[in-house]
Amino acid sequence: LVSRHIATPLGSALRQAHSSHEAMAWGALGAPAPLGMPLLLAAGDGWMLPQTLGSAVAVGGGSCSSVFELAAAALRHAPLVILVVLHLYAVGVGGAEAPDSSADETCSKGLGFNESVVPKDRGFQDLMACDEHHKRTCCERNDTAKVRQAWSNFAVVSSPRCAKLAQLAFCSVCDADVGVGINSFANTILLCPSFCLRWFEACIDDFFAPAALGLQACGPSALVCSPLREITQSAGEFCTRIGAPVGAFGLATSEKEPDACFDGVPSARSRGPGPKAHWVRPNKPSYGDEWWRPYVPRSYAAQAYMKEIQDYAPSVIVACVAVFFGWHLWNSSRD
């Protein structure tokens, strides 16, 4: 009973103290601000915190006050920061959409191109070779057909490394910088000395034959073939004597390397793709109109085999008739 009498006055005192502290705190904070109240209010030429929030900051102490002052300063400059970000974004978009500085570089007439066009992106179109240049090139389908024809002997009889370097050299005509005349002069494709030396060293043990315009890889129609090391020991002589698909190969001076000569690296890698060319539907492969085509599988091997039979069939028929008449005459002479 005594403890109950002692606890009752003590509990009431604690409740009164707690109530007085709550009243003091709410008095210091003031009335609750609405949730929609802005953090900054216009005041003359600047911005200021709401009065209730400012009083709360003053009660909170120095550290809390400094934090709110920093937040207020940041929010005060937020419009300026947003304007700067928007300006930088607009400048970036304008730079991305700026016209290409190479738009005035037209393709060279000396290499057989249409001089009224610029190098274009012809990826996934009907070009037949030189995939590394498709994103920025002056070549069209007939130009890549010439490249394939010039490279055919290298692809058949040369070593893999020699054939690969020859492919890069022949495809140089489809490089955009060569096509517009940066890495060419008139109808001459200027090869860098370092690239020419790599090509020569890759083909040093391969066989070559003399041609009307210089040298060519030793193909089936060649009569006399010799190793390249026995023909010449000069990389420059080798490169300039190889017949180019269009025009001729020339050797640039070392001072022009690599900015004014072809070094084997496509210009599309350093300058990016050109404007997209008008898409042209690739032609479907033609299998010919021979009577036997519908009855033979469409595979390349089957079609090629039947084509060879067709080519040799007249000779085989004539030979069979000759053998038959020979056998008939021989039997007649015995009778």
Side-chain angles (χ1 to χ4, degrees):
L1 181 61
V2 173
S3 62
R4 179 181 302 175
H5 287 291
I6 295 175
T8 300
L10 181 60
S12 60
L14 289 175
R15 284 194 297 272
Q16 291 178 359
H18 181 67
S19 300
S20 62
H21 281 294
E22 286 184 350
M24 293 177 61
W26 282 110
L29 291 175
L35 295 177
M37 183 182 67
L39 292 177
L40 295 178
L41 297 177
D45 296 333
W47 298 81
M48 63 175 293
L49 289 170
Q51 182 177 2
T52 55
L53 185 61
S55 61
V57 170
V59 174
S63 60
C64 186
S65 176
S66 61
V67 172
F68 275 101
E69 288 176 359
L70 291 176
L75 292 175
R76 185 166 59 249
H77 294 89
L80 180 61
V81 173
I82 294 174
L83 290 176
V84 171
V85 171
L86 292 176
H87 177 70
L88 293 176
Y89 176 76
V91 171
V93 171
E97 296 178 352
D100 190 358
S101 60
S102 62
D104 297 332
E105 299 175 349
T106 58
C107 298
S108 172
K109 185 178 180 180
L111 293 174
F113 300 127
N114 185 354
E115 60 182 346
S116 64
V117 300
V118 298
K120 294 184 178 181
D121 180 1
R122 301 182 185 276
F124 304 103
Q125 294 200 11
D126 59 346
L127 302 185
M128 302 172 63
C130 308
D131 295 350
E132 66 273 19
H133 298 293
H134 285 189
K135 291 295 183 180
R136 190 182 188 90
T137 183
C138 291
C139 283
E140 296 182 358
R141 181 180 175 84
N142 59 332
D143 301 307
T144 53
K146 295 177 182 178
V147 172
R148 289 187 62 178
Q149 179 64 30
W151 182 65
S152 58
N153 283 343
F154 279 90
V156 174
V157 300
S158 300
S159 61
R161 179 169 171 76
C162 178
K164 181 61 178 179
L165 268 296
Q167 180 187 10
L168 294 178
F170 290 144
C171 284
S172 63
V173 69
C174 291
D175 183 76
D177 287 349
V178 172
V180 300
I182 297 177
N183 295 341
S184 62
F185 177 75
N187 67 335
T188 302
I189 302 171
L190 300 177
L191 302 179
C192 293
S194 60
F195 176 79
C196 178
L197 181 61
R198 285 191 291 138
W199 188 15
F200 173 74
E201 292 176 347
C203 300
I204 191 67
D205 295 322
D206 289 88
F207 284 78
F208 287 81
L213 300 178
L215 289 176
Q216 65 179 6
C218 185
S221 61
L223 299 178
V224 179
C225 297
S226 303
L228 180 59
R229 64 172 66 253
E230 297 181 5
I231 298 175
T232 180
Q233 294 293 324
S234 170
E237 181 182 358
F238 163 72
C239 293
T240 54
R241 290 181 64 184
I242 294 292
V246 177
F249 287 125
L251 190 64
T253 59
S254 58
E255 291 81 7
K256 293 184 177 181
E257 187 172 0
D259 297 328
C261 58
F262 179 74
D263 60 353
V265 179
S267 62
R269 293 186 182 179
S270 58
R271 306 182 67 178
K276 192 67 177 176
H278 177 68
W279 186 79
V280 178
R281 183 184 298 275
N283 296 328
K284 293 183 179 180
S286 176
Y287 294 99
D289 54 357
E290 290 83 355
W291 63 269
W292 49 265
R293 296 280 183 181
Y295 308 102
V296 178
R298 290 296 180 90
S299 66
Y300 176 80
Q303 295 285 329
Y305 181 72
M306 289 300 299
K307 187 67 171 61
E308 290 184 2
I309 293 177
Q310 180 183 358
D311 293 339
Y312 288 104
S315 300
V316 172
I317 293 173
V318 170
C320 292
V321 171
V323 170
F324 173 78
F325 277 103
W327 175 78
H328 181 71
L329 292 175
W330 183 71
N331 285 336
S332 299
S333 62
R334 290 181 59 185
D335 295 339

